[in-house]
């Protein structure tokens, strides 16, 4: 279901934001689809290169990226704004300098890098995120929620202080206060299947929990952090990395169509999608990232909103630290008035 953005008054902010991150998805695959230089041997774990080539190969990068992420390119890119195509002079960078997950997510959510956040350890974030800021009295108290595949997110969000409910890792999805047979069945399944990663659950569970929460609890701000792309890359499985990106694209489609089917969200919702860090550029370094991996500071971002002109100019240089203020501006809020060191909103063309 595609939104009819013409029904939204141009001067009004949206009422809801869905933020989605895809951990460590490279700009090369987002904008170019299958990287054929990754095929040809077993170094990158592809079990059946011919089958992968059949599913994702095409003559042009534009065709390949649509094979990989059809909803992103057929809907989000056409109706919204996409930043980060290095080959089109559109650049967005991590500015924390160390290019891995906790620092990246904190930069996205707080609007600035913190030099004291230099590990992925489960330490409560000393900074207030945009989610905590929005959850405060006078904005959207009790209307902000997080679903994450990575189990470190309760510390990144500082759930104890912020009061933002955060379901992460292999936590049960079912809430005893709000019984759901569907979520109870998913929890039973999650307890039976092998946990390939102890700290990261499969994205299907994160998506299902988020979609159910959207329908049942109707948050104003919903953050969904998907994790498999990064973990399959670290596991040297280029085939499963691509598979997870394609599944994530479909999860985004289903979340968006669910929102558009609900009167509380239809034509009143913005979608923001980005990643926490990039990855290396070659056949070996693509598996990893960090301050010593060239190219892993390069990321991408997309905004789909009735208040943002899809014809916005996206050439130039931008930073990850501009995402938080962009989310606030979509909701008609001025984040920079309270957080002076935060990046300013992305300079897209606002209606």
């Amino acid at each position: 279901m595609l939104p009819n953005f013409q029904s939204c008054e141009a001067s009004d902010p949206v009422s809801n934001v869905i933020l989605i991150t895809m951990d460590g998805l490279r700009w090369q695959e987002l904008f170019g689809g299958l990287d054929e230089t990754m095929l040809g041997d077993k170094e990158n774990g592809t079990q059946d290169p011919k089958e992968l080539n059949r599913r994702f190969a095409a003559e042009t990068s534009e065709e390949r990226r649509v094979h990989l992420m059809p909803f992103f390119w057929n809907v989000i890119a056409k109706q919204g704004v996409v930043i980060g195509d290095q080959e089109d002079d559109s650049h967005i960078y991590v500015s924390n300098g160390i290019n891995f997950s906790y620092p990246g997510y904190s930069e996205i959510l707080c609007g600035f890098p913190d030099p004291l956040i230099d590990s992925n350890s489960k330490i409560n974030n000393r900074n207030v995120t945009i989610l905590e800021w929005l959850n405060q009295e006078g904005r959207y108290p009790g209307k902000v929620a997080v679903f994450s595949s990575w189990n470190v997110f309760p510390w990144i969000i500082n759930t104890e202080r912020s009061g933002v409910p955060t379901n992460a890792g292999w936590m049960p999805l079912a809430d005893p206060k709000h019984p759901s047979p569907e979520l109870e069945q998913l929890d039973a399944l999650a307890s039976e299947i092998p946990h390939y990663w102890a700290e990261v659950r499969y994205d299907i569970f994160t998506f299902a929990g988020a979609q159910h929460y959207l329908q049942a609890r109707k948050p104003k701000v919903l953050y969904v952090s998907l994790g498999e792309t990064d973990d399959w890359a670290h596991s040297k499985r280029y085939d499963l990395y691509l598979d997870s990106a394609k599944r994530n694209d479909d999860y985004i489609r289903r979340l968006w169509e669910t929102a558009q089917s609900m009167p509380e969200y239809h034509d009143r919702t913005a979608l923001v999608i980005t990643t926490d860090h990039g990855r290396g550029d070659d056949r070996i370094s693509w598996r990893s990232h960090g301050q010593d991996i060239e190219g892993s500071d390069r990321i991408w971002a997309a905004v789909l909103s009735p208040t943002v002109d899809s014809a916005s100019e996206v050439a130039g240089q931008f930073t990850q630290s501009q995402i938080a203020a962009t989310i606030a501006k979509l909701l008609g809020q001025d984040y920079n008035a309270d957080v002076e060191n935060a990046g300013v909103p992305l300079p897209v063309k606002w209606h």
Side-chain angles (χ1 to χ4, degrees):
M1 179 183 299
L2 302 184
N4 176 15
F5 285 164
Q6 299 304 314
S7 65
C8 180
E9 291 294 329
S11 60
D12 292 344
V14 295
S15 302
N16 319 281
V17 167
I18 300 173
L19 169 65
I20 300 174
T21 52
M22 300 172 63
D23 199 308
L25 179 68
R26 298 198 310 169
W27 72 271
Q28 289 94 329
E29 278 76 31
L30 182 77
F31 291 98
L34 169 70
D35 183 346
E36 294 180 346
T37 67
M38 298 294 177
L39 305 180
D41 58 34
K42 295 184 178 180
E43 281 295 311
N44 287 306
T46 299
Q47 300 297 299
D48 190 343
K50 290 183 178 179
E51 175 61 15
L52 198 71
N53 201 59
R54 183 193 68 78
R55 293 174 58 209
F56 294 117
E59 290 188 6
T60 69
S61 60
E62 289 78 11
E63 291 175 296
R64 291 193 299 272
R65 70 192 188 189
V66 171
H67 287 336
L68 181 64
M69 299 181 68
F71 180 73
F72 188 97
W73 288 106
N74 289 329
V75 176
I76 296 170
K78 289 181 179 179
Q79 298 186 18
V81 177
V82 181
I83 299 170
D85 187 350
Q86 303 279 320
E87 295 183 357
D88 197 28
D89 195 28
S90 178
H91 309 272
I92 181 165
Y93 295 100
V94 173
S95 61
N96 59 61
I98 48 181
N99 312 330
F100 58 88
S101 289
Y102 193 146
Y105 287 122
S106 183
E107 182 177 335
I108 290 168
L109 295 172
C110 297
F112 54 87
D114 182 347
L116 295 183
I117 298 177
D118 58 2
S119 77
N120 284 335
S121 299
K122 294 176 178 177
I123 299 172
N124 274 328
N125 196 340
R126 64 177 184 160
N127 307 298
V128 173
T129 68
I130 182 67
L131 304 177
E132 182 175 352
W133 187 81
L134 289 168
N135 194 52
Q136 293 171 352
E137 194 66 40
R139 296 187 182 92
Y140 306 113
K143 289 293 184 179
V144 182
V146 178
F147 283 80
S148 170
S149 296
W150 189 33
N151 70 357
V152 180
F153 261 85
W155 288 267
I156 297 172
I157 305 299
N158 197 335
T159 303
E160 293 178 359
R161 185 192 65 215
S162 69
V164 175
T166 305
N167 185 286
W170 292 101
M171 290 172 58
L173 295 169
D175 182 349
K177 296 180 181 179
H178 303 274
S180 166
E182 175 190 359
L183 295 184
E184 290 169 5
Q185 289 176 356
L186 285 171
D187 286 339
L189 177 62
S191 71
E192 294 290 335
I193 62 175
H195 293 187
Y196 193 82
W197 309 288
E199 295 190 341
V200 180
R201 71 178 163 203
Y202 304 124
D203 289 333
I204 181 59
F205 295 100
T206 300
F207 155 72
Q211 185 180 50
H212 184 274
Y213 195 95
L214 180 70
Q215 293 171 304
R217 306 291 291 277
K218 300 178 177 61
K220 290 289 187 181
V221 181
L222 178 64
Y223 176 26
V224 184
S225 175
L226 304 169
E228 282 188 49
T229 41
D230 185 66
D231 286 276
W232 286 125
H234 284 307
S235 299
K236 305 177 184 179
R237 289 297 302 271
Y238 190 68
D239 50 357
L240 298 183
Y241 165 78
L242 293 185
D243 282 342
S244 61
K246 188 172 181 63
R247 285 195 302 272
N248 285 178
D249 179 74
D250 195 56
Y251 300 153
I252 295 169
R253 175 190 66 80
R254 291 158 68 182
L255 280 169
W256 181 248
E257 291 182 355
T258 295
Q260 289 301 316
S261 71
M262 301 167 64
E264 298 87 352
Y265 297 92
H266 184 70
D267 291 353
R268 303 297 306 160
T269 301
L271 184 61
V272 179
I273 312 174
T274 189
T275 187
D276 54 328
H277 55 73
R279 316 194 73 81
D281 292 329
D282 60 40
R283 292 172 57 83
I284 302 300
S285 66
W286 83 275
R287 306 167 191 165
S288 194
H289 52 87
Q291 59 186 341
D292 297 326
I293 304 294
E294 185 177 355
S296 61
D297 62 334
R298 292 176 290 178
I299 59 168
W300 51 269
V303 179
L304 174 61
S305 172
T307 55
V308 171
D309 190 340
S310 61
S312 297
E313 176 63 50
V314 296
Q317 297 196 14
F318 313 101
T319 65
Q320 186 178 60
S321 62
Q322 295 178 258
I323 301 294
T326 302
I327 292 168
K329 186 168 183 177
L330 287 163
L331 292 164
Q333 304 281 335
D334 186 354
Y335 189 60
N336 299 100
D338 284 354
V339 187
E340 295 181 358
N341 60 332
V344 298
L346 290 167
V348 295
K349 194 174 186 180
W350 301 83
H351 284 308

